[in-house]
Amino acid sequence: MATQTEDPVLGIDGIKGEEENNKPIDKVVGLVGEEGGQGERDMAPSAGNLMHRSGSRPQLDLSKAAIQGNFEETNPTILLPNQSDDIFHLALDIGGSLIKLVYFSRHEDQAINDKRKKTVKERLGISNGNRRSYPILGGRLHFVKFETSKINDCLDFIYSKQLHHGGMDSLWHSELPANDNAVIKAIRHEAFTHMEGQKEFVQIDHNELFPYLLVNIGSGVSMIKVDGDGKFQRVSGTNVGGGTYWGLGKLLTKCKSFDELLELSQRGDNSAIDMLVGDIYGGMDYSKIGLSASTIASSFGKAISENKELEDYRPEDISLSLLRMISYNIGQISYLNALRFGIKRIFFGGFFIRGHAYTMDTISFAVHFWSKGEMQAMFLRHEGFLGALGAFMSYETHGLDVLMAHQLVERFPMGAPYTGGKIHGPPLGDLNEKISWMEKFVQKGTEITAPVPMAPPGTTGLGGFEVPLSKGGILRSDASALNVGVLHLVPSLEVFPLLADLKMYEPNTIDLSDHSELEYWFTVLSEHLPDLVDKAVASEGGTDDAKRRGDAFARAFSAHLGRLLEEPAAYGKLGLANLLELREECLREFQFVDAYRSIKQRENEASLAVLPDLLMELDSMSEEIRLLTLIEGVLAANIFDWGARACVDLYHKGTIIEIYRMSRNKMQRPWRVDDFDVFKERMLGSGDKKPAPHRKALLFVDNAGADVVLGMLPLARELLRRGTEVVLVANSLPALNDVTAMELPDIVAEAAKHCDILRRAAEAGGLLVDAMINNLDGSKENSCSVPLMVVENGCGSPCIDLRQVSSELAAAAKDADLIILEGMGRALHTNFNARFKCDALKLAMVKNQRLAEKLIYGNIYDCVCRYEPAR
């Protein structure tokens, strides 16, 4: 393997080509490529050059490929019985100080042949077009780092995961030609500014991204001017970088690792070593040229005049002085290069930064000071993996050439790799191992940053727990670092096409940057946790194994809350929707697929039993009274929410039907937000003027039981009666007692037994299997009815971020002219302020006193009927 030396001027990282401990590096030549090193091409995200390119790339044999398994699992597996070639998904960026590894994996889960999904795709005409086909929904990009001097650890990791043989996960395939428009670094909440200890995440429109300067700080520093996707040039650099800090720091402080050196700096006082402006001007500012007394006039300048030896200085002060010297230097050189090319935006990356607050503040101050506030320093949460990502994306057979930001979902399972910490590796794959770690984590009060798998005796780099950096029941890497989760590739996610202005869209209504607001909602989630654990354990039969998993889940989620309470920006920009989704992901991580399954079934049965009487009552009303009664019914039925403490208390005071009737009887207008009259005029008109019915309505449903059966289904029936096609939109995965797209067809089928309108619409929409066959035979009776369909929304949370919805929902939405968002999660916690291109109706009962006060200046159980005509 070739060896590239350090460039004394440009500061390019080098790699060593020797064998270490008799372990030949050429074992990974096929992965790294024939030419080692980190030159100008592999610094930009879209320009990696480290992957080995053979003359004959591996291919997938798709003959007799079939989907098998249980649909309840997230990631269905595809069996490829005739597959012969091995496919690997791995990229390495080997620098002078650190090795950065990015690898892709897919996990073997099960799925059944979902007839609803097949029918929806046929009816909506969903095809992959000129996109690649991803038959396995779900994949993961893992980010791992190792010190270059410990390359054996990296090799052990690769071997333990079998990455050099294609990994241990299932294969996936692609069908269509590549596209050059890759945007992997456009992950939401990826970029942020950092000034005076305050992080502020920045969402940048990809159309306004270029040009920018990318400053990659590794052992040395490279500066890349990026003009567009794949259009970049290395314009400058410096040999004073992370390697300089580590090297000098090691000589001056005897620290054994980069992280130890950084940790020292957090306790340092650089004024003990640096000569400041105030030291020259008698403690005063030099205001004439804009310099404060605390500005560094000369790094290490006091060491000249003081009669001290090295051991007389505190290692903490030396580390901080060294850090500031190098950071200021990098910031100033970056500013000069940006000025040279007229660039206003500078991104800083590389493992020198490590999410370290003081480093980012120093660089930001330098850029702000020299540019007089005209330029902005920005940082990246996946800062250390730019070169590895570039290498990864350069390999076309990965199928990442058409990857878009909304297709990446970042999650934070226990043991995910952490920026700044000493733990390396992916999440713990074995559930028992993960539970065992959570038990140790709490019982011993051990100072642990994150878990790693226990390695067999005789191996290196993977065993036991690393030296801790923090105490107690929270997960963290160091005092200020941001956590790097696992990026899940979900190619079926798209942007909801009916958003009026994607740039202005912010799903979260509650601002958790207010610390009192943050503490309140953390308390709510913590108080709800015991009841949730009870439900989860009961859903799995109450076995000892379920109890053990329930305890582990509670500890894990509490640890997440502790980490976020300490550092709200640790996982990116934090909103209430993110917290609720994190809880559901944590449940699934400990294999609680549907904690409220039995409760939902019981409530569905009770509600369906009284539905026929309700429909008869509605049919006896005039059109105007019926419409009001239907909206009242939706609001009244929305009281059934196991996610709200007040509603959980109600369940102990009466049956589901008694609670529903009580809620209906208390419905009195005007509601706290009451646009019913405007909505009624759009639906029914005024006087002799009768408006045309809506073409298609999307009804985002909320809870199972009375909410969907006695609230939303009758409203859907009314729209169908008026000739409006109806699409029921439900969760892809369970969350609390929310109904799922998998459960809805059975509910509709049962309701259709008592209603011809629902039956004909369900038949036309392919929800009834026998009718679906008749439709294929060309039944005239069914063809004249408007269809009722069910689509999944692409998420498994009580809330919904409309920047990431399922492809079938996006397809169904294209010709819709009415959206109805129902429930606190989808209409209040998120999307209350969202604006759409079509008519929108937001319906919810507020079941939290604080939310009622903050959002609508009302009280608990107040109702929201917010109608917004098409813009």
Side-chain angles (χ1 to χ4, degrees):
M1 180 181 289
T3 301
Q4 180 167 319
T5 58
E6 181 85 354
D7 187 315
V9 177
L10 301 183
I12 301 175
D13 289 346
I15 51 174
K16 300 177 181 178
E18 299 85 5
E19 296 183 2
E20 296 196 20
N21 299 329
N22 299 319
K23 181 167 283 190
I25 297 179
D26 60 8
K27 286 184 179 179
V28 291
V29 167
L31 303 176
V32 182
E34 296 302 324
E35 294 295 327
Q38 184 176 346
E40 62 185 65
R41 284 180 53 78
D42 65 349
M43 290 296 183
S46 58
N49 67 341
L50 295 179
M51 292 299 297
H52 175 71
R53 296 173 183 269
S54 64
S56 176
R57 291 196 175 108
Q59 300 293 324
L60 285 173
D61 186 343
L62 306 182
S63 59
K64 298 185 179 179
I67 297 177
Q68 293 191 353
N70 183 349
F71 179 75
E72 290 295 332
E73 296 295 334
T74 310
N75 308 318
T77 187
I78 287 198
L79 298 182
L80 302 173
N82 299 325
Q83 176 64 31
S84 57
D85 289 354
D86 286 330
I87 306 293
F88 56 83
H89 304 277
L90 168 65
L92 289 166
D93 174 3
I94 305 181
S97 307
L98 293 169
I99 300 171
K100 284 76 70 177
L101 166 65
V102 173
Y103 69 94
F104 184 82
S105 68
R106 289 191 178 277
H107 300 287
E108 293 189 13
D109 293 315
Q110 304 294 320
I112 62 171
N113 183 14
D114 184 0
K115 293 179 180 178
R116 180 204 63 81
K117 190 181 290 275
K118 181 179 178 182
T119 305
V120 165
K121 286 191 174 183
E122 290 175 353
R123 180 169 296 278
L124 297 177
I126 298 175
S127 65
N128 292 316
N130 58 1
R131 292 169 44 199
R132 287 181 181 269
S133 174
Y134 298 84
I136 300 176
L137 297 181
R140 295 162 176 82
L141 283 178
H142 300 277
F143 302 87
V144 191
K145 68 177 175 66
F146 303 88
E147 293 179 12
T148 303
S149 62
K150 298 178 181 178
I151 194 169
N152 285 348
D153 291 0
C154 180
L155 296 178
D156 284 340
F157 180 82
I158 290 171
Y159 300 148
S160 71
K161 291 289 177 186
Q162 296 291 296
L163 298 179
H164 58 311
H165 290 312
M168 295 181 287
D169 300 324
S170 59
L171 302 175
W172 57 296
H173 70 269
S174 59
E175 295 173 348
L176 294 168
N179 181 310
D180 293 332
N181 298 322
V183 197
I184 196 166
K185 291 310 292 179
I187 303 163
R188 215 169 351 266
H189 305 150
E190 173 68 25
F192 61 93
T193 59
H194 201 288
M195 286 287 285
E196 298 180 352
Q198 296 298 313
K199 300 182 187 74
E200 184 174 339
F201 286 91
V202 180
Q203 186 60 28
I204 302 170
D205 187 338
H206 184 66
N207 296 320
E208 301 171 358
L209 176 61
F210 306 107
Y212 63 83
L213 188 71
L214 175 61
V215 180
N216 200 56
I217 313 171
S219 295
V221 182
S222 282
M223 299 182 185
I224 317 294
K225 181 168 75 77
V226 184
D227 295 308
D229 288 328
K231 298 175 183 177
F232 59 92
Q233 177 186 5
R234 187 179 191 278
V235 294
S236 187
T238 173
N239 59 337
V240 179
T244 312
Y245 175 60
W246 191 352
L248 284 175
K250 186 175 181 181
L251 290 173
L252 296 173
T253 68
K254 308 303 179 186
C255 282
K256 303 228 187 312
S257 74
F258 193 97
D259 290 306
E260 186 182 352
L261 191 62
L262 268 184
E263 195 170 342
L264 273 182
S265 72
Q266 294 177 132
R267 305 189 297 272
D269 177 7
N270 67 296
S271 66
I273 298 178
D274 293 342
M275 183 180 293
L276 309 181
V277 168
D279 295 327
I280 301 173
Y281 294 98
M284 305 292 289
D285 296 340
Y286 191 8
S287 55
K288 193 180 290 187
I289 58 173
L291 297 178
S292 68
S294 60
T295 301
I296 299 174
S298 174
S299 293
F300 290 87
K302 283 185 180 174
I304 299 172
S305 57
E306 294 179 337
N307 187 22
K308 291 183 180 180
E309 299 297 326
L310 177 61
E311 54 270 18
D312 295 326
Y313 291 98
R314 295 173 66 235
E316 293 87 344
D317 301 338
I318 293 173
S319 176
L320 181 57
S321 179
L322 192 58
L323 178 67
R324 295 192 71 172
M325 178 182 75
I326 292 171
S327 299
Y328 276 136
N329 181 65
I330 293 171
Q332 184 175 12
I333 294 175
S334 301
Y335 153 73
L336 291 172
N337 276 282
L339 181 67
R340 172 186 168 197
F341 294 104
I343 295 172
K344 300 293 185 184
R345 187 180 290 140
I346 309 173
F347 289 99
F348 290 87
F351 260 117
F352 170 71
I353 298 173
R354 308 275 178 112
H356 190 261
Y358 210 98
T359 306
M360 293 186 288
D361 268 354
T362 304
I363 291 173
S364 295
F365 177 83
V367 171
H368 186 270
F369 176 83
W370 291 111
S371 72
K372 294 181 171 56
E374 292 186 4
M375 294 181 190
Q376 198 172 35
M378 287 201 265
F379 304 91
L380 303 167
R381 290 179 51 238
H382 292 84
E383 57 194 11
F385 296 95
L386 301 186
L389 279 170
F392 190 87
M393 293 186 64
S394 69
Y395 198 58
E396 291 90 348
T397 57
H398 290 265
L400 297 180
D401 44 297
V402 290
L403 188 63
M404 297 302 291
H406 55 262
Q407 296 172 345
L408 292 172
V409 180
E410 187 172 24
R411 295 181 179 130
F412 297 88
M414 289 294 106
Y418 283 74
T419 290
K422 293 186 177 182
I423 301 296
H424 307 303
L428 294 173
D430 181 77
L431 181 64
N432 285 329
E433 189 172 33
K434 188 177 297 186
I435 294 172
S436 297
W437 180 80
M438 289 311 304
E439 290 170 345
K440 294 175 185 176
F441 183 79
V442 173
Q443 290 172 1
K444 296 183 179 180
T446 313
E447 301 178 3
I448 303 173
T449 50
V452 294
M454 298 296 291
T459 62
T460 60
L462 295 174
F465 295 105
E466 295 280 1
V467 178
L469 292 177
S470 63
K471 296 182 179 181
I474 58 173
L475 299 176
R476 57 182 292 176
S477 50
D478 65 28
S480 58
L482 303 177
N483 296 61
V484 177
V486 178
L487 293 180
H488 290 236
L489 171 61
V490 189
S492 59
L493 292 181
E494 299 185 21
V495 175
F496 190 60
L498 294 179
L499 285 173
D501 188 344
L502 179 59
K503 292 181 185 179
M504 298 299 295
Y505 175 71
E506 167 55 50
N508 288 288
T509 306
I510 303 299
D511 182 10
L512 293 187
S513 62
D514 180 342
H515 197 72
S516 64
E517 201 71 31
L518 185 70
E519 286 186 332
Y520 171 78
W521 288 104
F522 273 38
T523 301
V524 169
L525 291 173
S526 297
E527 290 177 348
H528 182 242
L529 195 54
D531 184 70
L532 179 57
V533 171
D534 289 344
K535 296 292 187 299
V537 171
S539 73
E540 297 289 322
T543 63
D544 290 341
D545 172 69
K547 291 175 182 176
R548 190 164 173 247
R549 285 187 283 125
D551 288 342
F553 154 71
R555 292 165 180 167
F557 186 58
S558 296
H560 280 303
L561 291 180
R563 172 69 176 122
L564 289 169
L565 191 59
E566 179 195 51
E567 175 51 77
Y571 296 173
K573 186 176 180 180
L574 184 62
L576 186 56
N578 308 107
L579 277 179
L580 296 175
E581 185 172 11
L582 179 64
R583 179 183 61 187
E584 300 304 322
E585 288 294 340
C586 200
L587 271 172
R588 285 189 277 272
E589 184 181 357
F590 289 92
Q591 296 187 3
F592 292 107
V593 177
D594 191 352
Y596 288 81
R597 183 191 298 114
S598 60
I599 292 173
K600 289 191 293 183
Q601 290 173 348
R602 185 170 65 248
E603 294 187 356
N604 286 338
E605 291 170 0
S607 301
L608 285 165
V610 300
L611 178 63
D613 292 339
L614 174 61
L615 297 182
M616 287 179 61
E617 179 186 351
L618 289 168
D619 289 342
S620 67
M621 299 175 180
S622 66
E623 194 175 42
E624 185 173 331
I625 295 176
R626 184 167 65 238
L627 184 61
L628 175 59
T629 305
L630 285 165
I631 298 301
E632 287 179 340
V634 171
L635 294 172
N638 192 233
I639 197 171
F640 297 98
D641 187 345
W642 281 91
R645 169 58 58 187
C647 298
V648 173
D649 293 340
L650 283 177
Y651 280 102
H652 303 297
K653 299 177 181 178
T655 66
I656 182 172
I657 301 305
E658 289 171 343
I659 298 170
Y660 171 70
R661 286 172 179 160
M662 177 270 295
S663 182
R664 277 281 301 271
N665 292 335
K666 289 187 176 181
M667 282 287 134
Q668 290 185 354
R669 294 186 63 201
W671 301 309
R672 191 62 187 173
V673 177
D674 193 339
D675 295 334
F676 174 76
D677 291 335
V678 184
F679 177 66
K680 181 185 72 172
E681 185 171 347
R682 169 59 186 89
M683 292 289 289
L684 306 180
S686 58
D688 297 330
K689 187 178 179 182
K690 295 293 182 182
H694 291 94
R695 294 186 307 275
K696 180 193 285 187
L698 304 180
L699 275 61
F700 288 75
V701 298
D702 188 9
N703 305 300
D707 197 358
V708 67
V709 176
L710 304 181
M712 292 300 278
L713 265 186
L715 180 58
R717 176 178 178 261
E718 182 67 18
L719 291 166
L720 291 166
R721 187 205 298 265
R722 294 175 52 79
T724 301
E725 181 179 344
V726 174
V727 179
L728 299 176
V729 184
N731 267 15
S732 300
L733 296 172
L736 294 174
N737 64 319
D738 290 1
V739 69
T740 68
M742 189 66 181
E743 298 162 342
L744 259 181
D746 289 340
I747 295 173
V748 171
E750 190 63 31
K753 293 178 180 178
H754 310 285
C755 175
D756 284 342
I757 296 174
L758 289 176
R759 180 183 59 79
R760 288 195 299 270
E763 289 173 355
L767 292 178
L768 303 182
V769 176
D770 293 340
M772 186 168 62
I773 297 172
N774 292 337
N775 275 342
L776 296 177
D777 293 337
S779 168
K780 292 183 180 179
E781 179 186 355
N782 294 326
S783 62
C784 64
S785 178
V786 289
L788 171 64
M789 300 173 62
V790 172
V791 301
E792 59 178 299
N793 59 19
C795 75
S797 165
C799 302
I800 186 168
D801 183 343
L802 294 174
R803 294 169 300 195
Q804 292 179 308
V805 302
S806 70
S807 56
E808 61 185 54
L809 172 53
K814 286 176 181 175
D815 57 344
D817 54 353
L818 174 63
I819 295 171
I820 299 179
L821 290 163
E822 184 240 354
M824 281 212 309
R826 294 161 190 82
L828 299 185
H829 290 316
T830 54
N831 302 305
F832 185 67
N833 298 317
R835 295 295 178 265
F836 299 95
K837 298 175 182 177
C838 65
D839 294 351
L841 181 65
K842 299 168 185 178
L843 300 170
M845 176 184 285
V846 189
K847 290 150 291 193
N848 177 278
Q849 180 62 33
R850 187 183 181 96
L851 182 66
E853 293 171 359
K854 291 273 185 178
L855 194 60
I856 59 173
Y857 308 104
N859 294 299
I860 192 169
Y861 303 129
D862 276 347
C863 291
V864 172
C865 176
R866 188 174 189 177
Y867 176 66
E868 296 155 344
R871 302 190 103 188

